[in-house]
Every structure is written in structure tokens, then in C-alpha cells.
Amino acid sequence: MTVRKNQALLTADEKRRFVDALLALKRSGAYDAFVTTHNGFIMSDTDGGPRVGHRSPSFLPWHRRFLIEFEQALQSVDPSVSLPYWDWTADRTAASSLWAADFLGGTGRARDGQVMDGPFSAASGAWPITVRVDGRGYLRRALGANGVQLPTRAEVDSVLAIPAYDAPPWNSASDGFRNHLEGWRGVNLHNRVHVWVGGQMATGVSPNDPVFWLHHAFVDRLWIEWGERHPDSPYLPAIGTADVVDLRGTMRPWDDVTPADMLDHTPHYTYDAAA
Amino acid sequence: MSTITRRQALGAAAGVTAALATAGAAQAIPVSQVSPVTPAPASPATPASADAPEPFDEVYRGRRIQGGASHDGGHGDGHHAGHGGGYSVRIDGEELHVMQNADGTWISVVNHYEPLATPRATARAAVVELQGADLVPLTLS
């Protein structure tokens, strides 16, 4: 059974195996296919048109399915690997062990944002950025450099307290839990973390940075927490709504999975108890 | 790192307020600190593309940035329709993929998670983010 653990509690061996599996997917080309898929949805999901991966109710089930697929790809390399999660309410600075050279490496240098240490640095030669929006082929970050702070636990709790899953108009203007978690409205949780990391994480090709998966694993875990607090609050919309995926609508690109299929994560993985 | 004044870095985008945090920051030029507009609950589901923003054409930090109505709908490179409401932005002639949010704010593919007030502010933010790099055309899967 796959157990997703807090990244701060991983052993040196677990970190090494996770990194090695990432590098293997990168070498095979499988990794970049995930980046391409994500960017395609980032660019095509619109508030006034069809929207599946972002700015819509299916933001959470879509990313759940996306992460399951990615986790399975990692496990095809090393069955012992699972996706760790990054609790950014607790590990809030560039000094966190997450950003150490034995795990994800640190922030970028001032001159060009280039990450200079760790397994994903350009110097390592193992992490070319090929799916990109500009000419730069190296991983970039600017941790905390935009003047933003990572969300606090109190801010997270304020969002978890929202009882309705989502609301019309089912987009970036919506009230409700999903849009507050996604961050287009209110205290801004998920979006703000992308901005805090900077570099490719602030762009449509954000999965170029391996922290993407750890960030979204924590967002996924928050969805579970919300469900525990609001056991009677269903996924919305329940029935056909223009341009968005209702409870039993299929989600692109898989076309064989619905939000209803994704409500229970336990057939696929569980999370450790450490929050 | 080029040295520029805060005034230059911030530009004069309407509605953009700055909160600078420069101490030792890796990129000591925060483009802006935008509190996303909280729309009224009854805000429209469709971006207000009827009120197309003003065109612009300027050199910002050594890059030519342009914005205006796109004759090809803004998706001449195989982009999907609808994201920019017929408004396109270019940096040194290369299209910057932009999108308008339901509350009227804008994002681009290089600043996707931080809405800004206008396409011009989004173009300037992209210039800062690019640090001199060229945009490359994107092909969607």
C-alpha cells in the first residue's frame, strides 16, 4: 500500500530513492510528458469556456488523478517510492531540509535564477528543461523573493472551515472551498505557493520543478482534511453544467475517470498521520 | 543584474500597489504585490472582453512589449480559443500567451498564478521574469 509521507520526515534512503526515480523518468522522456499535459490544460482552461484542470470544480479530482498517474510512473521505476508532501505551513523557509542539496536543491542565484546545487541543477546535467516557455533550459527558483509569505496554518484552517465545496460561476470568481484553496479568491493558498517558489513553478510549465508534486500532494491532503470536517458536503456541481465537469462527468485527458471516481483516495494511497 | 530604480521596476500600472521586499532577495525586483480583486458574488462567469483594454507599445527594460486586438483572435500558433478575448501581447515580436480572469485581471504563461490588473502589467511582469530570455512558441499536446 502506498503511504505518502511528510517530506520533512523522510530518511536519507527514501530521499535518494525518490530523487533517483525522478531522474529515471526524466531520462526516459516520461517526465516531460507530464509537464506537457499540465501546460496544455493551464493554457486551455478558461473562466468563460471549457475548464477541467484548473479554475474549476475538477481542479482537485483532476490533480488527484494526475498525481496518481505520476506516482505510478515513479513506482514503475522503484516500487518502494511514494509521493512525499510538503506542508508549507510548517516548512516555511528556504532553510528547510526540503531545499537541501541531498533532496531538491535550493533557491536560484540572483543573476539568472539558476538553481546551483542538488540533483536538479544544470550542473548535474540530469535535469534539462525541455518543455519550456522561453529559451532557458535550466531549473530556476527564487524562493520567497517576491515578497510573499507562504500560507500559515491559521489561513489554511480558515479555508478548511468553508462548508460549500464550490459555487457558481464555477470558476476563478467562485466562492466556496475549492476556489479559496486554489487561491483565485480570498487568502490564496495554492496559487501563492507557486509564486513563492518562483522560477518554472510560477509558470504554466510548473511541473518542471519536482516540488510541484510535493506541493500538490499537500493540496490533495487538504482536500481530504476538508472532507473530514464537512462529511455532508458533496462535490459540486452534481449535475450537468456548461463547460465544467460535474460529479459524474468524465475528465480529459483520460476520459475514463470522473470526479466521483476520485472522491475516495484510499484505494490508491493513504497519508501518514504527521501533519 | 541591471540596476533600475523602483519607479522603473514598478511601472505605473493602474491598480497595482507595490510592497517591496528587497532585503537580500534573489530577485530584488518584485514586479508587484497584487491583492487579487475580490469580486462581488454576482460577478459574471464570462470575462469582460467587451471592454477590451487599451493597446500599448513601449520599450520596457530593453524589451519591446505590445498589446492590442489580435487579428487572428490571438491564437495564430495553434492556441486554443477564448483565453485572451481577442487581445494579444507580444514581447520582441513573440506572442506571450495571456488570459483574462473572470474578475477582469490578467495572467500570462510565465506568471500564471499571480493575477495583475492589465495586460501591460502582465507584459512588464513577464519581462522581469524572463531576465532577457526569449519567449519560445509553445505547442500544445
Side-chain angles (χ1 to χ4, degrees), chain A residues 175-192:
Chain A
D175 204 349
F177 166 71
R178 185 276 309 168
N179 197 36
H180 280 77
L181 174 59
E182 190 171 357
W184 300 111
R185 185 160 177 176
V187 296
N188 182 0
L189 302 180
H190 152 268
N191 282 355
R192 190 170 13 143

Side-chain angles (χ1 to χ4, degrees), chain A residues 1 6 8 46 55 84 103 129 145 150 172-173 177 179 200-201 207 216-217 226 243 273 275:
Chain A
M1 185 63 195
N6 187 320
T46 60
R55 59 181 64 236
F103 201 13
I129 304 297
L150 288 168
S172 75
F177 166 71
N179 197 36
Q200 281 89 1
M201 261 292 273
H216 271 277
W226 175 84
D243 290 332

Side-chain angles (χ1 to χ4, degrees), chain A residues 171-231:
Chain A
N171 64 15
S172 75
S174 291
D175 204 349
F177 166 71
R178 185 276 309 168
N179 197 36
H180 280 77
L181 174 59
E182 190 171 357
W184 300 111
R185 185 160 177 176
V187 296
N188 182 0
L189 302 180
H190 152 268
N191 282 355
R192 190 170 13 143
V193 176
H194 280 272
V195 173
W196 185 89
V197 174
Q200 281 89 1
M201 261 292 273
T203 76
V205 291
S206 47
N208 272 308
D209 192 327
V211 81
F212 173 92
W213 310 103
L214 284 75
H215 172 35
H216 271 277
F218 187 61
V219 170
D220 183 78
R221 195 171 185 276
L222 292 178
W223 185 22
I224 295 166
E225 269 194 70
W226 175 84
E228 290 166 349
R229 294 198 197 193
H230 306 278

Side-chain angles (χ1 to χ4, degrees), chain A residues 80-152:
Chain A
S80 76
V81 169
S82 62
L83 281 181
Y85 64 91
W86 170 31
D87 178 353
W88 20 256
T89 71
D91 296 302
R92 312 178 47 76
T93 73
S96 162
S97 60
L98 174 66
W99 308 110
D102 69 339
F103 201 13
L104 300 192
T107 195
R109 65 183 176 189
R111 174 153 58 88
D112 57 5
Q114 186 173 162
V115 171
M116 299 305 291
D117 67 344
F120 309 103
S121 64
S124 77
W127 203 254
I129 304 297
T130 57
V131 182
R132 59 201 198 196
V133 296
D134 59 64
R136 295 168 292 182
Y138 46 85
L139 182 64
R140 293 178 296 108
R141 291 183 190 129
L143 303 180
N146 285 356
V148 300
Q149 299 289 316
L150 288 168
T152 64

Side-chain angles (χ1 to χ4, degrees), chain A residues 140-171:
Chain A
R140 293 178 296 108
R141 291 183 190 129
L143 303 180
N146 285 356
V148 300
Q149 299 289 316
L150 288 168
T152 64
R153 188 66 217 187
E155 287 172 325
V156 165
D157 287 340
S158 75
V159 172
L160 292 178
I162 299 170
Y165 176 77
D166 207 338
W170 317 108
N171 64 15

Side-chain angles (χ1 to χ4, degrees), chain A residues 44 47 55 135 140 202 204 206, chain B residues 80 101-102 109 112-113 129 134 136:
Chain A
S44 64
D47 279 336
R55 59 181 64 236
R140 293 178 296 108
S206 47
Chain B
H80 294 188
N101 297 315
V109 75
H112 185 80
Y113 301 92
E129 157 65 21
D134 288 328
V136 295

